[in-house]
Amino acid sequence: MSHKVFLIAAARPNFMKVAPLWRAMSAHSDSLEPMLIHTGQHYDQNMSGIFFEELGLPTPHVHLGVGGGSHAQQTAGVMVKFEELCLQELPDLVVVVGDVNATMATSVTAAKLHIPVAHVEAGLRSRDMTMPEEINRLLTDAIADLLFTPSPDADENLRAEGVDPARIKLVGNIMIDSLVDSVERARALDTCSAFGLEPQGFGVVTLHRPANVDDPVTLARILDVLVGMNLPLVFPVHPRTRAVMRQHDLDARCRLVDSLVILADPLGYYEFMNLVVNSRLILTDSGGLQEEATWLGIPCLTLRPNTERPITITEGTNELATVESLTAQTAAILAGNWKKGRVPDLWDGHTAPRIVRVLEEFLASR
Ligand code: UD1
């Protein structure tokens, strides 16, 4: 018997997590009938469409068309439309990934309809309740039936919250499945030279967290430090960040004569990974990039006071940074004084098949 499984995709970092799951589920069509549901949180071609094309994802079966807006607007919009869809399609299981608003909105909706929920990338905790993602993570994990974790620290967090250990499945890092699959193709591109950059001669910057980019004064301070660095930096700018830069004319700071900062539009997965694999260092506030840097062994500075991915620090190449510490940390990296790190266990490109095995058992037992 085949079970209907909704696979939820919403925002850019979801697509790299959903693609390997889609492939692994599709290979088990005797037991699983996956349906791809796009909530529409990210909608630009270079924030969504290009990832579907590059990662071999089909056109979503259903597009809920809930675009941007406040947190309440996004969450409520997804809940209303997703409830209608669930009542119409009656899925046997809903699989959510990551920590974006749609992860939480679809989980809560499904749970109230008594549809089981599986959360991939469960158990991560920053303990920073000012991050909307931390609220999404806590709520999703509290109600999901299956909690697929990427690392032992996530298991410990869940156990400490009193979660039944039978719900916790340590399966590894799903996003690394996409990276393993894509890294050679990314290496073969010439994005780096198209930007006029030499391999190992530049850093990659990404910034989009509200705490770093929503306040123009904070963002200007960060940009001033970047412009002052003695290293070319390529910075594909997220739409949230771009909006603040435009409104406050912050682009001008990066156009000063001695600035080595190259501002770019958001890039597709392969082009972006080409820059990453050729970079000397990464400076970011993204969650996923901390993990990709760890897997690739590239020094990473995370411009945040905390991370929900501590294994990237204890085992990987990542360190937290502040605006004040960035310059000294960058100098240490350029001087070769940085940890080499190791790839955490189960970050091996085979997480999706491990998840599918558990899902099959779970659905067969119901
Ligand atoms: C969301 C996630 C965040 C994730 C990030 C990755 C939540 C709470 N936040 O943050 O965890 O790290 O995605 O990118 O779910 N916009 C566009 N085009 C798009 C998408 C967004 O122009 O295709 C603009 C809109 O003006 C929107 C703003 O970017 O209002 C912010 O988008 P939103 O999805 O609300 O949050 P992100 O900052 O992208």
Side-chain angles (χ1 to χ4, degrees), residues 11-13 41-44 47 68-69 71 74 99-101 132-133 136 208-209 238-240:
R12 185 167 63 177
Q41 181 171 344
H42 285 178
Y43 44 84
D44 289 343
M47 294 294 286
H71 285 275
Q74 284 185 21
D99 54 19
V100 301
N101 285 338
E133 293 81 2
N136 293 339
H208 75 285
R209 295 284 163 207
H238 186 283
R240 172 188 282 277

Side-chain angles (χ1 to χ4, degrees), residues 86-103:
C86 287
L87 292 171
Q88 198 183 311
E89 291 287 341
L90 303 175
D92 297 297
L93 176 72
V94 172
V95 177
V96 298
V97 298
D99 54 19
V100 301
N101 285 338
T103 307

Side-chain angles (χ1 to χ4, degrees), residues 129-325:
M129 293 298 279
T130 66
M131 285 181 80
E133 293 81 2
E134 184 71 356
I135 298 171
N136 293 339
R137 287 188 281 262
L138 282 162
L139 295 180
T140 304
D141 287 345
I143 54 172
D145 299 78
L146 287 171
L147 296 162
F148 291 109
T149 55
S151 46
D153 55 284
D155 292 38
E156 278 168 36
N157 290 335
L158 292 169
R159 282 196 299 265
E161 288 168 18
V163 171
D164 176 359
R167 286 165 59 204
I168 306 171
K169 313 283 175 189
L170 177 59
V171 289
N173 189 316
I174 189 67
M175 196 192 54
I176 300 299
D177 283 24
S178 276
L179 183 57
V180 169
D181 249 25
S182 312
V183 71
E184 285 316 314
R185 195 166 156 188
R187 274 189 215 284
L189 297 181
D190 62 356
T191 318
C192 167
S193 46
F195 277 104
L197 298 163
E198 295 286 333
Q200 294 298 306
F202 67 96
V204 172
V205 177
T206 79
L207 296 168
H208 75 285
R209 295 284 163 207
N212 281 331
V213 307
D214 281 4
D215 172 14
V217 176
T218 304
L219 181 57
R221 280 181 64 216
I222 297 171
L223 292 176
D224 287 346
V225 172
L226 299 183
V227 167
M229 277 184 190
N230 193 19
L231 176 74
L233 297 171
V234 59
F235 179 8
V237 186
H238 186 283
R240 172 188 282 277
T241 315
R242 181 65 85 180
V244 180
M245 288 175 76
R246 280 221 179 97
Q247 206 183 341
H248 299 274
D249 199 23
L250 299 182
D251 301 45
R253 293 177 128 80
C254 303
R255 288 197 299 268
L256 300 173
V257 259
D258 51 352
S259 166
L260 299 175
V261 179
I262 303 168
L263 299 179
D265 287 332
L267 297 167
Y269 184 52
Y270 294 121
E271 285 187 314
F272 182 68
M273 289 321 300
N274 177 273
L275 293 178
V276 168
V277 297
N278 284 302
S279 69
R280 184 79 183 78
L281 62 89
I282 291 162
L283 203 163
T284 191
D285 57 13
S286 144
L289 204 39
Q290 299 170 50
E291 300 176 334
E292 287 161 338
T294 279
W295 193 84
L296 292 162
I298 298 170
C300 182
L301 297 174
T302 296
L303 195 53
R304 282 177 44 190
N306 49 57
T307 176
E308 61 289 337
R309 292 158 161 92
I311 199 167
T312 61
I313 295 178
T314 54
E315 296 193 17
T317 52
N318 188 29
E319 285 295 334
L320 300 180
T322 62
V323 183
E324 292 75 25
S325 71

